[in-house]
Amino acid sequence: MSFLSEWNWAWPAIALAFLLGAMGSRWLYYRLGFGKQQTVNKEYFKGLNFLLNEEPDKAIEVFIKALEVDSETVELHLALGGLFRRKGQVDRATRIHQNLIARPSLTEDQRMQAIHELANDYYKAGWLDRAENLFSELKDSAPYRILAIRGLVRIYEQEKEWQKAIDALKLLKRSERSDVSKQVAHYYCELAELSIKIGDYQIARQHLRNARNENSTIARSLLLRGDLRSAEGDHAGARDLWLQLASTHPNYAEQIVTRMIRSIAASGDSSELKNYLLNQSAVPRSADAFSLWQHSIQGLLGESDAIAHILAASESDGMSASLANYLCDALGRNMLDDQRRTDLLIKMLGRAKTKKIEYTCVGCGFDTKSMYWFCPNCGRWESFR
């Protein structure tokens, strides 16, 4: 695909913007009395010609040269650099913004704007250390403080530097933090999860306490509090917390199924296991969790009754890929009566028709086969259903 076709309608817009900018500059000079013989800078027409002939590198050189002659076009160069970045031409955007910053004639506001654009260029290119340095420089500038902080947070999320992300968001004023409380709580959960894995339970407890102080409504905090109780040997307390999660956050009930089965099985209480398996309705969607759940039910009820129970559960909880594979195998082994066979075929065909994905972000519609606490597309937390 040619460079011009990738930009489709964008190039005419750029051309028009530069042309109007040059002509507007001419009109302004004339009205202010700086001369009656002002003409549109010929360099702009040369640059536009290069753009339209799919020679963007030559166009950049021309526009940078024009900047040296006419500093009134800074905003147009910033717009051009932004368009290059959004279209994936980060190296070209970087060259434009670096040259802008080098111009001594820029106002302080123009310089800050160019630094912000260059920081975004570096982030898009994956040069996170350079982007971090520029965002750090901007965070003390009032007009760019919030943008710079959010830029730093994006970097720390990508690098999994959760404490740095927390510290950055704490730079926001209290009135600005209401919409990030869930975000900060999840950062504390990330730290707690790491602490549980290495056996530092006291630190994990403090992180979970901080998470609840930030936002007491997130499901993940309850899940990890149960994990911490379990790691410390309080299995009954852990199960109470996991069941509380299933009750208050039914969308995440399947996350506790594996934990509950293993914890109850370890206690040796077969009546509690039976009660849990027959009364909980969440069907695990991940392959490993589904396998454990299915085998546990089959061991409790026998294969024929287990299939009937699982089919009934699928009526309210939907048809996942793991469930479809299991029922397809049962169908092939003639484990279903005629009515159930017909109902199952209709359900499976419906799933194939819609190509259902296991989890979808309610914020942006991003689909995935695995459950994530964080949406990699829009950046929302606890948004998958």
Side-chain angles (χ1 to χ4, degrees), residues 49-77:
N49 187 56
F50 283 133
L51 285 179
L52 295 173
N53 283 290
E54 304 181 50
E55 298 180 277
D57 289 318
K58 291 182 179 179
I60 290 174
E61 296 297 338
V62 170
F63 288 134
I64 289 173
K65 182 179 178 181
L67 178 65
E68 296 174 357
V69 177
D70 186 359
S71 63
E72 296 297 323
T73 60
V74 171
E75 294 297 327
L76 296 176
H77 284 76

Tab-separated table of all heavy atoms in Angstrom, residues 49-77:
chain	number	residue	atom	x	y	z
A	49	ASN	N	3.749	20.095	-2.679
A	49	ASN	CA	3.999	19.309	-3.892
A	49	ASN	C	4.670	17.981	-3.554
A	49	ASN	O	4.327	16.924	-4.100
A	49	ASN	CB	4.855	20.110	-4.865
A	49	ASN	CG	5.001	19.419	-6.209
A	49	ASN	OD1	4.016	19.097	-6.869
A	49	ASN	ND2	6.235	19.187	-6.627
A	50	PHE	N	5.634	18.032	-2.632
A	50	PHE	CA	6.295	16.790	-2.210
A	50	PHE	C	5.302	15.848	-1.525
A	50	PHE	O	5.334	14.630	-1.735
A	50	PHE	CB	7.451	17.092	-1.261
A	50	PHE	CG	8.683	17.610	-1.949
A	50	PHE	CD1	9.352	18.730	-1.472
A	50	PHE	CD2	9.185	16.982	-3.079
A	50	PHE	CE1	10.490	19.199	-2.097
A	50	PHE	CE2	10.324	17.449	-3.722
A	50	PHE	CZ	10.980	18.563	-3.226
A	51	LEU	N	4.421	16.407	-0.683
A	51	LEU	CA	3.426	15.579	-0.016
A	51	LEU	C	2.538	14.865	-1.028
A	51	LEU	O	2.295	13.662	-0.934
A	51	LEU	CB	2.555	16.430	0.911
A	51	LEU	CG	3.166	16.905	2.230
A	51	LEU	CD1	2.155	17.757	2.984
A	51	LEU	CD2	3.608	15.749	3.100
A	52	LEU	N	2.055	15.625	-1.987
A	52	LEU	CA	1.134	15.061	-2.964
A	52	LEU	C	1.814	14.092	-3.913
A	52	LEU	O	1.162	13.271	-4.554
A	52	LEU	CB	0.456	16.185	-3.748
A	52	LEU	CG	-0.452	17.091	-2.885
A	52	LEU	CD1	-0.940	18.282	-3.691
A	52	LEU	CD2	-1.636	16.305	-2.339
A	53	ASN	N	3.138	14.169	-4.007
A	53	ASN	CA	3.896	13.239	-4.843
A	53	ASN	C	4.526	12.122	-4.030
A	53	ASN	O	5.471	11.477	-4.479
A	53	ASN	CB	4.979	13.993	-5.621
A	53	ASN	CG	4.409	14.753	-6.807
A	53	ASN	OD1	3.973	14.161	-7.800
A	53	ASN	ND2	4.379	16.078	-6.686
A	54	GLU	N	3.988	11.936	-2.805
A	54	GLU	CA	4.413	10.821	-1.943
A	54	GLU	C	5.895	10.873	-1.603
A	54	GLU	O	6.594	9.857	-1.582
A	54	GLU	CB	4.071	9.465	-2.585
A	54	GLU	CG	2.592	9.313	-2.942
A	54	GLU	CD	2.283	7.956	-3.541
A	54	GLU	OE1	2.700	6.953	-2.935
A	54	GLU	OE2	1.650	7.906	-4.601
A	55	GLU	N	6.379	12.052	-1.284
A	55	GLU	CA	7.764	12.246	-0.860
A	55	GLU	C	7.775	12.984	0.474
A	55	GLU	O	8.218	14.132	0.568
A	55	GLU	CB	8.535	13.028	-1.917
A	55	GLU	CG	8.640	12.324	-3.270
A	55	GLU	CD	9.418	13.124	-4.292
A	55	GLU	OE1	8.819	14.018	-4.925
A	55	GLU	OE2	10.625	12.864	-4.421
A	56	PRO	N	7.280	12.330	1.537
A	56	PRO	CA	7.119	13.018	2.823
A	56	PRO	C	8.420	13.464	3.459
A	56	PRO	O	8.448	14.479	4.142
A	56	PRO	CB	6.413	11.965	3.686
A	56	PRO	CG	6.725	10.661	3.041
A	56	PRO	CD	6.805	10.937	1.584
A	57	ASP	N	9.528	12.720	3.254
A	57	ASP	CA	10.797	13.128	3.855
A	57	ASP	C	11.269	14.460	3.288
A	57	ASP	O	11.739	15.335	4.018
A	57	ASP	CB	11.856	12.040	3.640
A	57	ASP	CG	11.590	10.808	4.487
A	57	ASP	OD1	11.218	10.990	5.664
A	57	ASP	OD2	11.733	9.690	3.993
A	58	LYS	N	11.140	14.621	1.962
A	58	LYS	CA	11.513	15.893	1.353
A	58	LYS	C	10.580	17.000	1.824
A	58	LYS	O	11.002	18.144	2.043
A	58	LYS	CB	11.471	15.774	-0.170
A	58	LYS	CG	12.556	14.883	-0.757
A	58	LYS	CD	12.478	14.869	-2.279
A	58	LYS	CE	13.582	13.986	-2.867
A	58	LYS	NZ	13.516	13.939	-4.353
A	59	ALA	N	9.292	16.665	1.997
A	59	ALA	CA	8.330	17.658	2.475
A	59	ALA	C	8.703	18.148	3.864
A	59	ALA	O	8.619	19.349	4.158
A	59	ALA	CB	6.926	17.060	2.479
A	60	ILE	N	9.133	17.228	4.733
A	60	ILE	CA	9.516	17.612	6.090
A	60	ILE	C	10.676	18.598	6.061
A	60	ILE	O	10.683	19.611	6.760
A	60	ILE	CB	9.879	16.361	6.920
A	60	ILE	CG1	8.620	15.536	7.196
A	60	ILE	CG2	10.529	16.761	8.245
A	60	ILE	CD1	8.905	14.218	7.873
A	61	GLU	N	11.682	18.297	5.233
A	61	GLU	CA	12.840	19.180	5.141
A	61	GLU	C	12.419	20.581	4.708
A	61	GLU	O	12.907	21.598	5.212
A	61	GLU	CB	13.871	18.604	4.162
A	61	GLU	CG	14.482	17.277	4.596
A	61	GLU	CD	15.268	17.388	5.885
A	61	GLU	OE1	15.701	18.501	6.238
A	61	GLU	OE2	15.432	16.351	6.563
A	62	VAL	N	11.500	20.640	3.750
A	62	VAL	CA	11.042	21.935	3.248
A	62	VAL	C	10.286	22.690	4.334
A	62	VAL	O	10.496	23.890	4.535
A	62	VAL	CB	10.149	21.747	1.996
A	62	VAL	CG1	9.465	23.059	1.625
A	62	VAL	CG2	10.994	21.248	0.827
A	63	PHE	N	9.406	22.007	5.058
A	63	PHE	CA	8.626	22.682	6.081
A	63	PHE	C	9.513	23.150	7.235
A	63	PHE	O	9.270	24.199	7.826
A	63	PHE	CB	7.524	21.765	6.596
A	63	PHE	CG	6.398	21.559	5.614
A	63	PHE	CD1	5.894	20.294	5.368
A	63	PHE	CD2	5.853	22.629	4.931
A	63	PHE	CE1	4.859	20.110	4.468
A	63	PHE	CE2	4.827	22.451	4.029
A	63	PHE	CZ	4.321	21.191	3.786
A	64	ILE	N	10.530	22.358	7.575
A	64	ILE	CA	11.461	22.787	8.618
A	64	ILE	C	12.219	24.027	8.170
A	64	ILE	O	12.438	24.967	8.942
A	64	ILE	CB	12.428	21.636	8.975
A	64	ILE	CG1	11.670	20.528	9.732
A	64	ILE	CG2	13.585	22.146	9.821
A	64	ILE	CD1	12.482	19.289	9.985
A	65	LYS	N	12.613	24.059	6.900
A	65	LYS	CA	13.293	25.229	6.349
A	65	LYS	C	12.367	26.438	6.375
A	65	LYS	O	12.780	27.552	6.706
A	65	LYS	CB	13.747	24.935	4.923
A	65	LYS	CG	14.509	26.091	4.275
A	65	LYS	CD	14.945	25.728	2.872
A	65	LYS	CE	15.675	26.905	2.210
A	65	LYS	NZ	16.078	26.566	0.813
A	66	ALA	N	11.086	26.220	6.054
A	66	ALA	CA	10.112	27.315	6.070
A	66	ALA	C	9.939	27.850	7.484
A	66	ALA	O	9.713	29.040	7.685
A	66	ALA	CB	8.778	26.831	5.521
A	67	LEU	N	10.043	26.975	8.495
A	67	LEU	CA	9.914	27.398	9.872
A	67	LEU	C	10.980	28.412	10.241
A	67	LEU	O	10.746	29.346	10.990
A	67	LEU	CB	9.991	26.184	10.802
A	67	LEU	CG	9.928	26.465	12.305
A	67	LEU	CD1	8.577	27.052	12.673
A	67	LEU	CD2	10.207	25.220	13.098
A	68	GLU	N	12.185	28.216	9.701
A	68	GLU	CA	13.268	29.141	9.999
A	68	GLU	C	12.958	30.535	9.479
A	68	GLU	O	13.417	31.534	10.012
A	68	GLU	CB	14.559	28.617	9.372
A	68	GLU	CG	15.014	27.289	9.962
A	68	GLU	CD	16.213	26.713	9.241
A	68	GLU	OE1	16.630	27.337	8.248
A	68	GLU	OE2	16.705	25.667	9.666
A	69	VAL	N	12.144	30.604	8.420
A	69	VAL	CA	11.796	31.886	7.820
A	69	VAL	C	10.580	32.485	8.508
A	69	VAL	O	10.503	33.686	8.749
A	69	VAL	CB	11.506	31.716	6.305
A	69	VAL	CG1	11.073	33.035	5.687
A	69	VAL	CG2	12.739	31.161	5.604
A	70	ASP	N	9.596	31.640	8.879
A	70	ASP	CA	8.312	32.129	9.373
A	70	ASP	C	7.893	31.343	10.611
A	70	ASP	O	7.341	30.257	10.511
A	70	ASP	CB	7.261	31.975	8.267
A	70	ASP	CG	5.923	32.607	8.661
A	70	ASP	OD1	5.834	33.138	9.773
A	70	ASP	OD2	5.000	32.527	7.840
A	71	SER	N	8.169	31.893	11.784
A	71	SER	CA	7.861	31.179	13.028
A	71	SER	C	6.388	31.204	13.373
A	71	SER	O	5.968	30.577	14.338
A	71	SER	CB	8.663	31.794	14.188
A	71	SER	OG	8.277	33.146	14.381
A	72	GLU	N	5.566	31.908	12.584
A	72	GLU	CA	4.134	31.944	12.834
A	72	GLU	C	3.464	30.613	12.515
A	72	GLU	O	2.284	30.420	12.785
A	72	GLU	CB	3.480	33.044	11.998
A	72	GLU	CG	3.942	34.448	12.339
A	72	GLU	CD	3.581	34.842	13.758
A	72	GLU	OE1	2.491	34.449	14.214
A	72	GLU	OE2	4.384	35.518	14.403
A	73	THR	N	4.197	29.677	11.918
A	73	THR	CA	3.603	28.408	11.482
A	73	THR	C	3.850	27.268	12.471
A	73	THR	O	3.693	26.105	12.112
A	73	THR	CB	4.173	28.008	10.108
A	73	THR	OG1	5.590	27.864	10.233
A	73	THR	CG2	3.859	29.061	9.066
A	74	VAL	N	4.231	27.593	13.692
A	74	VAL	CA	4.532	26.555	14.683
A	74	VAL	C	3.351	25.617	14.886
A	74	VAL	O	3.503	24.391	14.909
A	74	VAL	CB	4.939	27.199	16.026
A	74	VAL	CG1	5.027	26.132	17.113
A	74	VAL	CG2	6.263	27.921	15.888
A	75	GLU	N	2.139	26.159	15.024
A	75	GLU	CA	0.967	25.328	15.258
A	75	GLU	C	0.722	24.365	14.097
A	75	GLU	O	0.303	23.225	14.297
A	75	GLU	CB	-0.274	26.199	15.467
A	75	GLU	CG	-0.241	27.054	16.732
A	75	GLU	CD	-0.192	26.198	17.988
A	75	GLU	OE1	-0.773	25.096	17.978
A	75	GLU	OE2	0.429	26.635	18.983
A	76	LEU	N	1.005	24.817	12.889
A	76	LEU	CA	0.817	23.950	11.735
A	76	LEU	C	1.820	22.804	11.735
A	76	LEU	O	1.501	21.672	11.385
A	76	LEU	CB	0.935	24.761	10.442
A	76	LEU	CG	-0.144	25.826	10.249
A	76	LEU	CD1	0.131	26.635	8.994
A	76	LEU	CD2	-1.516	25.194	10.171
A	77	HIS	N	3.046	23.095	12.159
A	77	HIS	CA	4.046	22.035	12.239
A	77	HIS	C	3.693	21.030	13.337
A	77	HIS	O	3.895	19.827	13.182
A	77	HIS	CB	5.425	22.638	12.495
A	77	HIS	CG	6.032	23.271	11.285
A	77	HIS	ND1	5.628	24.485	10.803
A	77	HIS	CD2	6.998	22.829	10.434
A	77	HIS	CE1	6.323	24.784	9.722
A	77	HIS	NE2	7.161	23.798	9.472
